[in-house]
Amino acid sequence: MTERTLILVKPDGVKRGLAGEILRRIEAKGYTLVAIDLRTATAELLAKHYEEHVGKPFYEPLVEFMTSGPSLAIVAEGERVIEGFRSLAGTTDPTAAPPGTIRGDLGRQWSTAVLQNLVHGSDSPESADREIGIWFPAL
Ligand code: DAT
Ligand code: MG
């Protein structure tokens, strides 16, 4: 079934000039861009986006990182795009992420407080619906 996912190129990716390379990988995989917007997240938006992480030890550093500059917010579409983009992204810890993935090829650990790992991708159809509603309410 054709589905949509919410992808973010996080502030580390935008600052490092990797937004184009990451978009290239999404397009080269064959997914369709539905919406794209460069935007600095607020703490209020992040409390909704990362609601399952509120209160965890890395939550405050995560908000500090995610509000440190603009992210590129993307809605992409395609068959099994939620699973497909998570596979392109690689595992959460960029040091351990396999080569060939976005996090494995382009990321590494920079801080002990929070993992800066270049991208976000929705992890289920329910998360995708929720996150697209948060970032792109007009969709
Ligand atoms: P993912 O982004 O792979 O879906 P997640 O939803 O578990 O991972 O966590 C959200 C973000 O929070 C993640 O991209 C980086 C940061 N993070 C997660 N677990 C962490 C940890 N144990 N220590 C530091 N930062 C962490
Ligand atoms: Mg997640």
Side-chain angles (χ1 to χ4, degrees), residues 82-103:
I82 295 169
E83 177 188 0
F85 180 75
R86 296 277 294 187
S87 173
L88 279 186
T91 50
T92 303
D93 177 356
T95 300
T101 66
I102 292 166
R103 289 163 170 172

Side-chain angles (χ1 to χ4, degrees), residues 7-28:
I7 296 169
L8 301 175
V9 179
K10 296 181 181 181
D12 57 336
V14 173
K15 279 197 192 91
R16 289 178 56 205
L18 294 171
E21 167 64 17
I22 291 166
L23 269 180
R24 188 196 65 73
R25 291 179 183 221
I26 295 165
E27 289 191 300

Side-chain angles (χ1 to χ4, degrees), residues 50 52-53 86 120-121 123:
Y50 279 134
E52 76 269 33
H53 297 309
R86 296 277 294 187
H120 167 84
D123 63 9

Side-chain angles (χ1 to χ4, degrees), residues 100-133:
T101 66
I102 292 166
R103 289 163 170 172
D105 285 348
L106 308 173
R108 70 164 169 93
Q109 186 145 7
W110 301 85
S111 131
T112 47
V114 68
L115 295 170
Q116 302 186 11
N117 55 14
L118 297 168
V119 290
H120 167 84
S122 307
D123 63 9
S124 68
E126 296 70 32
S127 301
D129 280 352
R130 198 176 63 78
E131 293 169 4
I132 290 169

Side-chain angles (χ1 to χ4, degrees), residues 49-98:
H49 176 83
Y50 279 134
E51 69 177 3
E52 76 269 33
H53 297 309
V54 173
K56 292 184 183 173
F58 60 84
Y59 184 71
E60 287 304 326
L62 178 63
V63 170
E64 193 178 329
F65 161 54
M66 290 295 294
T67 56
S68 68
S71 292
L72 194 70
I74 300 157
V75 177
E77 185 172 83
E79 293 287 326
R80 297 173 67 195
V81 67
I82 295 169
E83 177 188 0
F85 180 75
R86 296 277 294 187
S87 173
L88 279 186
T91 50
T92 303
D93 177 356
T95 300

